[in-house]
Amino acid sequence: MSKITSSPRLSHLNISKMKKENVKIAALTSYDFSFANLCQEAGVDIIFVGDSLGMVIQGHDSTIPVELGDIIYHTKIVAKGSKRPLIISDLPFATYQESPKQAFSSAAKILKAGAQVIKLEGGEDMASTTEFLSRRGVAVCSHIGLTPQSINQLGRYGIHGKNDESFAQVKKDAFAQQQAGAVMIVLEALYADLAEELANELTIPTIGIGAGPSCSGQVLVIYDILNITMGIKPKFVKDFMQGQDSILSAIRAYVAEVKDGTYPATKHLYR
Ligand code: KIV
């Protein structure tokens, strides 16, 4: 008879508990077996199989060309390479915006590949989709503020929450997603004061990327912290390879700085 053992992999409940206990959450993107393994060794809590892979792996100018099959493939190999971190994978552009049913069908394929949570970009506008998925056993992470899949409509990768209108909309987005059942929220390129309000007022964890130190946790693109990415880097990126002699120690340094609050520092904030 086979033995029933409990999985050591973190769930979104463990992440939620970390927020409640004021333990900072260290997240990174990862796209393959070896990096997933290094993330695990370094104590990363969440691996995001992000559609940023379209830019840093595939060399596109945006995340728009990423296909569902790409996320499925990368989720499978990340799941093979790690046992402990929660895996959150992106729903790529045009695989969920059409209807909640389309979103469910795409999410199911990603969950079968090994993710525990799916991430979708959108706030108030996508709340009915989050609710539809949540009622059907899918754990959803929302992504608000700068939503890179909307780059063609936005026109540029800018900062959000800057004026009163944008500030109010981001708040509405966050609360609409929480109300709809999202289990956590990624806040990208947000004014630090707005992110602080959200972190204090929301009950679900907030994971910031360029959103300041008040978030429950931080996420960065792994190639950015390893200084592999070419071109201009956003203000919030920090090169963790500096002073380290291996990739593993650089990831460990990132985890340590997120956990003790050293990262992000004042120079990484939008104010
Ligand atoms: O696409 C991505 O990698 C992301 C993470 C930075 C959260 O959205």
Side-chain angles (χ1 to χ4, degrees):
M1 205 168 79
S2 64
K3 226 166 68 188
I4 299 171
T5 51
S6 60
S7 161
R9 200 180 280 287
L10 298 179
S11 78
H12 71 83
L13 297 178
N14 299 108
I15 303 299
S16 181
K17 191 163 174 260
M18 289 169 78
K19 174 191 162 72
K20 286 189 192 107
E21 293 173 354
N22 285 319
V23 176
K24 291 283 184 190
I25 301 150
L28 272 178
T29 67
S30 199
Y31 316 102
D32 71 18
F33 179 89
S34 299
F35 276 104
N37 201 238
L38 287 171
C39 283
Q40 163 163 300
E41 283 304 302
V44 167
D45 301 305
I46 305 177
I47 294 178
F48 281 88
V49 183
D51 60 2
S52 51
L53 70 86
M55 298 170 86
V56 299
I57 302 264
Q58 299 173 334
H60 299 297
D61 288 340
S62 76
T63 58
I64 306 288
V66 175
E67 302 287 352
L68 187 57
D70 298 329
I71 295 289
I72 291 169
Y73 169 78
H74 287 281
T75 298
K76 276 186 186 163
I77 55 180
V78 163
K80 262 197 209 170
S82 64
K83 288 195 165 51
R84 179 186 174 272
L86 176 71
I87 300 177
I88 303 184
S89 298
D90 270 345
L91 282 171
F93 179 68
T95 69
Y96 64 100
Q97 290 93 342
E98 219 172 286
S99 69
K101 271 190 170 179
Q102 184 203 26
F104 183 79
S105 158
S106 305
K109 292 183 182 108
I110 296 174
L111 296 182
K112 283 171 195 274
Q116 288 79 54
V117 178
I118 63 92
K119 177 162 77 61
L120 54 80
E121 293 185 8
E124 212 180 7
D125 52 338
M126 292 303 296
S128 55
T129 298
T130 296
E131 189 173 353
F132 186 91
L133 295 175
S134 304
R135 285 179 184 272
R136 285 159 182 81
V138 180
V140 178
C141 171
S142 154
H143 182 152
I144 62 171
L146 171 63
T147 47
Q149 290 177 12
S150 301
I151 186 59
N152 291 316
Q153 185 240 335
L154 294 170
R156 69 190 174 94
Y157 294 105
I159 296 122
H160 289 249
K162 211 169 181 172
N163 56 45
D164 290 352
E165 201 188 329
S166 165
F167 193 102
Q169 186 56 53
V170 175
K171 278 196 93 167
K172 273 193 207 160
D173 287 336
F175 282 96
Q177 281 292 326
Q178 175 171 275
Q179 175 75 21
V183 298
M184 72 188 85
I185 303 197
V186 167
L187 304 176
E188 179 159 358
L190 270 201
Y191 263 91
D193 292 351
L194 170 55
E196 186 174 354
E197 268 193 41
L198 292 176
N200 291 336
E201 292 171 18
L202 292 167
T203 55
I204 56 175
T206 54
I207 310 294
I209 170 160
S214 308
C215 297
S216 327
Q218 302 292 327
V219 61
L220 285 174
V221 169
I222 194 162
Y223 293 169
D224 284 345
I225 74 155
L226 300 177
N227 202 17
I228 292 172
T229 325
M230 304 289 190
I232 303 163
K233 293 187 187 58
K235 179 181 179 167
F236 55 80
V237 165
K238 177 169 176 182
D239 171 9
F240 281 90
M241 271 311 280
Q242 264 185 30
Q244 303 298 335
D245 58 5
S246 72
I247 289 175
L248 180 58
S249 34
I251 302 174
R252 279 194 175 129
Y254 167 74
V255 171
E257 288 202 16
V258 169
K259 296 277 178 192
D260 71 13
T262 317
Y263 176 81
T266 311
K267 65 178 178 186
H268 302 118
L269 312 186
Y270 296 114
R271 276 251 147 90

